[in-house]
Amino acid sequence: MRVCVIGTGYVGLVTGVCLSHIGHEVICVDNNEEKVKLMQSGQSPIYEPGLSELMKSSSESGRLHFTSDLAKGVNHGEILFIAVGTPPLPTGESDTRYVEAVARGIGNYLNCGYKVIVNKSTVPIGSGDWVRMIVLDGVAERQKTLVTTGGSPVKESEIQIETNFDVVSNPEFLREGSAVYDTFNPDRIVLGGNSEKATAMMEELYQPIIKREFAEDKSLPAVPVVVTDLSSAEMIKYAANSFLATKISFINEVANICDRVGADVTQVAKGIGLDSRIGSKFLQAGIGWGGSCFPKDVSALIHTADDYGYNAELLKSAVSVNKRQRLTLLEKLQHELKILKGKTVGLLGLTFKPDTDDMRDAPALDLIEQLNRLGAKVKAYDPIVSQSGLSHGLSNVIIETNAEMLADGCDALVLVTDWQEFLKLDYSKMAKSMINKTLIDGRNFLDRKAVEEAGFRYVGIGR
Ligand code: UDX
Ligand code: UDX
């Protein structure tokens, strides 16, 4: 099918590339010219395992194109994905100005044939109807220019053609660092809308994925498709992310109690996770959640609740537990080193999670700010950030290009991101080059016994 994806960020680019990989003809549109040039040259502006290989093969097959020309994309696609960012405003609500700009632009260029407009971006609940209204505004704007520029008055039938579209909500559940995998191996596909024709087209679009043709395990039953109304589909996205974030804050709360009663939260997580009603995933206690989704989606849902006069106190507590969790690391450092002023602290990992280059709301950034405020010297090594020269929020951090060199002269090491490569470091060599041999494991990721045998004083979170 002919697809246009507007916004080539973490979600849009992955969606466009994967849809072209399964056989669709995709045009990706982005208003960032240098990003478009980079993608036209075959390079991905983001780090996602497996993405650049698929980008290359799909571009070579002629099924994937990049442009900044929205009109071209709208004309091409029978299915138009809106995948531009919806970052949080200071108030916590979603900034939907980009979605509005794109929806209006689509309206300006709608011309022939029935189109399905898909909300892929996470938009506030009730936005589906709002997007429809904005698109119609764009259509009206165009008609006005037609008439006012002396063009022949728009015929009734032409107006009919231009409003010949439906809006569908198709929220994404992609985890950064495994977005390609998650696209081909979804637990479910959610389609929200009130048009059977649009829903049918979306199910046709996703057929190869529904039938597991690109799945790791092709023997699994077909992917369940949840077809519901627009608001419920939008709520599913917010509720899923808010539940996962709350589950993490829950285990972090338990970890903080474990710290005081001498229990081991990793054992507790194992023991409760085996209960099929709880499940073992997302029970990894540590410095807490960051990234571009959880913080934004939970605060947006809280904001929506407030808008409708409901105080979402459970969600608010999940957010405050998470905020406080970042200070736990600092408290442990102070407990170990007493005065931090003049001390050198080495951070292992900077990104909000492994296998991504995304620093948005990374817990490391808060920790760096606190350490600088207390006069500590901060060094850091991150497998991606150290190579990519990403400097956002890292102006006064010494970036090392080698994890073992990082330890040189440090009073303490703090593991902030659970990158796989940190399991294979030569910790005994690192301990020898340190003044004070403290290692705080912010993700309960390392083998405590091995680290202690290497000469460190190991400090975990609730362990
Ligand atoms: C996405 C979804 O938009 C968000 O709702 C979801 O919760 C997380 O993933 P993300 O892909 O991270 O957000 O957005 P971002 O990385 O900010 O990329 C958005 C892209 O859209 C950028 O490349 C930007 O250049 C482009 N853009 C933005 C447009 O093409 N047009 C615009 O008007 C605005
Ligand atoms: C999340 C959702 O998982 C995904 O479905 C949604 O589409 C986008 O938001 P993402 O934010 O990319 O994906 O990463 P995720 O793997 O969910 O981790 C989010 C944060 O929680 C990270 O900071 C991670 O370190 C933290 N986390 C995760 C924990 O602290 N403990 C855990 O057990 C799991």
Side-chain angles (χ1 to χ4, degrees):
M1 295 170 87
R2 296 190 318 285
V3 178
C4 169
V5 178
I6 304 152
T8 57
Y10 285 92
V11 172
L13 183 57
V14 171
T15 301
V17 169
C18 291
L19 287 175
S20 64
H21 182 66
I22 67 174
H24 300 299
E25 296 157 55
V26 179
I27 289 187
C28 290
V29 179
D30 200 297
N31 67 358
N32 180 321
E33 299 281 351
E34 53 263 28
K35 233 186 202 185
V36 172
K37 285 200 179 57
L38 195 70
M39 296 184 290
Q40 284 169 337
S41 68
Q43 289 173 64
S44 162
I46 56 169
Y47 174 82
E48 265 300 335
L51 185 66
S52 34
E53 294 83 343
L54 292 186
M55 247 175 100
K56 196 164 170 304
S57 60
S58 291
S59 302
E60 281 160 5
S61 66
R63 285 200 310 272
L64 178 63
H65 298 280
F66 300 98
T67 178
S68 56
D69 176 356
L70 181 56
K72 186 175 167 207
V74 172
N75 287 331
H76 164 80
E78 54 196 311
I79 294 182
L80 312 174
F81 280 91
I82 300 178
V84 292
T86 49
L89 289 168
T91 57
E93 62 191 313
S94 290
D95 179 356
T96 53
R97 82 181 96 147
Y98 305 120
V99 173
E100 181 165 355
V102 168
R104 192 176 304 284
I106 290 172
N108 291 160
Y109 301 119
L110 272 187
N111 55 0
C112 63
Y114 174 73
K115 306 239 182 211
V116 178
I117 297 172
V118 186
N119 268 340
K120 194 73 181 169
S121 296
T122 307
V123 289
I125 293 153
S127 298
D129 308 322
W130 171 74
V131 166
R132 175 172 189 80
M133 188 192 73
I134 304 283
V135 173
L136 287 172
D137 280 356
V139 172
E141 245 171 47
R142 174 159 167 247
Q143 281 158 1
K144 235 196 336 294
T145 48
L146 267 181
V147 172
T148 46
T149 48
S152 58
V154 180
K155 290 188 294 300
E156 187 51 35
S157 61
E158 196 169 279
I159 291 179
Q160 184 47 36
I161 285 176
E162 278 155 359
T163 51
N164 193 4
F165 67 91
D166 285 304
V167 176
V168 166
S169 165
N170 173 220
E172 48 87 17
F173 303 100
L174 310 180
R175 291 164 298 163
E176 286 185 26
S178 56
V180 171
Y181 177 86
D182 291 343
T183 303
F184 294 133
N185 301 274
D187 289 335
R188 75 309 203 178
I189 287 171
V190 173
L191 298 173
N194 43 25
S195 148
E196 280 177 23
K197 182 175 183 182
T199 307
M201 279 174 72
M202 293 302 290
E203 289 189 301
E204 184 192 341
L205 177 81
Y206 284 124
Q207 265 320 297
I209 291 176
I210 292 168
K211 290 192 288 204
R212 304 270 185 201
E213 287 170 22
F214 292 85
E216 189 177 53
D217 178 355
K218 296 180 172 40
S219 66
L220 285 174
V223 176
V225 180
V226 177
V227 180
T228 181
D229 61 275
L230 271 169
S231 297
S232 303
E234 289 153 359
M235 177 57 91
I236 287 170
K237 167 71 185 174
Y238 283 108
N241 270 4
S242 298
F243 178 78
L244 292 169
T246 305
K247 188 173 182 184
I248 293 165
S249 284
F250 169 79
I251 198 66
N252 282 336
E253 182 115 296
V254 168
N256 296 336
I257 302 168
C258 285
D259 256 340
R260 286 157 178 75
V261 302
D264 180 341
V265 72
T266 57
Q267 299 303 307
V268 172
K270 188 165 169 238
I272 64 173
L274 289 167
D275 182 323
S276 59
R277 294 164 303 171
I278 296 174
S280 56
K281 292 181 181 165
F282 279 60
L283 282 178
Q284 185 188 352
I287 189 174
W289 36 271
S292 73
C293 291
F294 281 2
K296 149 175 90 71
D297 292 354
V298 181
S299 63
L301 185 53
I302 290 168
H303 196 87
T304 300
D306 282 345
D307 280 352
Y308 290 85
Y310 178 77
N311 175 20
E313 50 195 313
L314 176 64
L315 297 181
K316 286 178 182 172
S317 314
V319 171
S320 56
V321 165
N322 190 60
K323 270 199 180 58
R324 192 183 59 191
Q325 202 61 13
R326 298 181 175 195
L327 300 178
T328 305
L329 271 198
L330 189 73
E331 285 154 17
K332 288 175 180 286
L333 260 175
Q334 286 172 313
H335 183 262
E336 294 302 315
L337 301 182
K338 303 300 177 251
I339 306 294
L340 289 180
K341 196 171 173 56
K343 297 283 178 21
T344 303
V345 178
L347 306 184
L348 280 169
L350 287 169
T351 50
F352 84 96
K353 65 177 284 196
D355 299 324
T356 181
D357 58 357
D358 201 342
M359 289 291 291
R360 286 180 285 190
D361 202 357
L365 296 174
D366 281 9
L367 185 59
I368 289 163
E369 198 184 314
Q370 296 295 337
L371 288 171
N372 285 329
R373 182 175 59 80
L374 292 166
K377 193 171 138 201
V378 185
K379 298 175 27 171
Y381 166 77
D382 180 281
I384 292 267
V385 176
S386 293
Q387 321 307 339
S388 67
L390 267 167
S391 58
H392 168 80
L394 304 169
S395 47
N396 37 23
V397 176
I398 299 160
I399 301 286
E400 294 284 355
T401 53
N402 169 303
E404 284 155 6
M405 292 279 288
L406 170 78
D408 216 356
C410 280
D411 295 290
L413 286 180
V414 182
L415 185 136
V416 178
T417 312
D418 37 340
W419 285 94
Q420 280 302 312
E421 69 176 74
F422 294 158
L423 292 172
K424 305 181 205 90
L425 298 179
D426 180 348
Y427 285 99
S428 44
K429 182 179 153 209
M430 291 164 80
K432 288 192 184 72
S433 67
M434 286 175 68
I435 302 157
N436 184 320
K437 304 172 192 327
T438 297
L439 190 148
I440 298 180
D441 186 353
R443 295 288 179 186
N444 288 343
F445 183 55
L446 301 176
D447 173 346
R448 170 188 207 123
K449 208 158 131 296
V451 167
E452 285 174 338
E453 277 161 12
F456 280 98
R457 170 160 166 61
Y458 177 95
V459 179
I461 309 268
R463 204 179 180 193

